[in-house]
Amino acid sequence: MQPKLPSILECPVGRAVETVGEWWSILILRDALQGSTRFDEFERNLGIAPNILSRRLAHLTKTGMFVRRRYQERPPRYEYVLTDKARDFFPVIATLLAWGNKHLAPKGESILLANRGDRRPLDPVVVDAADRQPITIANAVVIAGPAASRLMRRRLTSLKAMNPAIAPAGD
């Protein structure tokens, strides 16, 4: 377990990584979002060791990504049901898939995200809900939110991206 610095714990990205950042957790969530619910399904589909899978499922349940529900009494067996919090993680999986296809598939795409109705391939982008414009490194910057501590406000104002003269240029 990594030390928890206040600047990491206060940051939404830091909290998200604390919840799902371990790579097995992301793959478990990927499979759950595709319909897997049971321990043996995750174990078989991922080739993951049972002790690691048990720890990851316990963590994802503790952090509110799954609800554990008994489906068999003898012996007791449980399934892991996605919560709304976990379903809200789907766009992250979709953008990871698109990014992986764009940058890590030298022989071409092996998996595509497609429209459920007509199987047309989808090309996910992150857009602003208000104006539906893509959010890019060129047009976005992080600013302090209403609950930001003094330390976080100081950290954010010191970021290079806050200074337009040296901010990263986007395409």
Side-chain angles (χ1 to χ4, degrees):
M1 193 60 82
Q2 296 294 318
K4 312 289 187 306
L5 298 172
S7 64
I8 293 172
L9 290 177
E10 188 175 352
C11 173
V13 175
R15 289 191 306 268
V17 169
E18 177 70 18
T19 300
V20 297
E22 194 275 333
W23 71 288
W24 278 121
S25 294
I26 294 171
L27 294 176
I28 290 166
L29 286 166
R30 177 205 62 190
D31 281 15
L33 288 161
Q34 295 172 0
S36 295
T37 61
R38 297 183 177 178
F39 189 95
D40 61 327
E41 292 173 324
F42 292 118
E43 185 178 25
R44 180 181 61 252
N45 294 338
L46 295 170
I48 185 173
N51 61 324
I52 295 171
L53 179 56
S54 291
R55 282 197 307 269
R56 293 290 89 215
L57 288 170
H59 175 76
L60 289 167
T61 300
K62 179 182 166 198
T63 58
M65 300 298 276
F66 286 125
V67 171
R68 198 169 93 137
R69 184 170 57 200
R70 187 178 281 199
Y71 69 88
Q72 179 179 311
E73 292 297 322
R74 291 179 186 231
R77 298 269 190 250
Y78 297 88
E79 63 182 348
Y80 296 85
V81 180
L82 291 165
T83 63
D84 288 341
K85 180 178 179 178
R87 282 188 284 281
D88 285 346
F89 192 70
F90 179 76
V92 176
I93 295 290
T95 52
L96 279 172
L97 186 151
W99 182 83
N101 275 341
K102 181 176 180 179
H103 296 288
L104 306 173
K107 295 181 181 179
E109 301 143 325
S110 60
I111 297 174
L112 295 171
L113 187 64
N115 180 288
R116 188 178 293 274
D118 63 10
R119 300 294 199 251
R120 174 185 51 81
L122 298 172
D123 186 16
V125 294
V126 178
V127 299
D128 177 52
D131 65 12
R132 302 288 190 225
Q133 293 301 307
I135 298 171
T136 68
I137 196 168
N139 68 9
V141 66
V142 293
I143 61 171
S149 68
R150 188 177 9 231
L151 178 65
M152 181 58 72
R153 289 174 190 282
R154 191 166 49 246
R155 179 185 175 280
L156 291 174
T157 58
S158 73
L159 295 175
K160 289 181 182 178
M162 298 298 285
N163 181 341
I166 56 175
D171 294 342

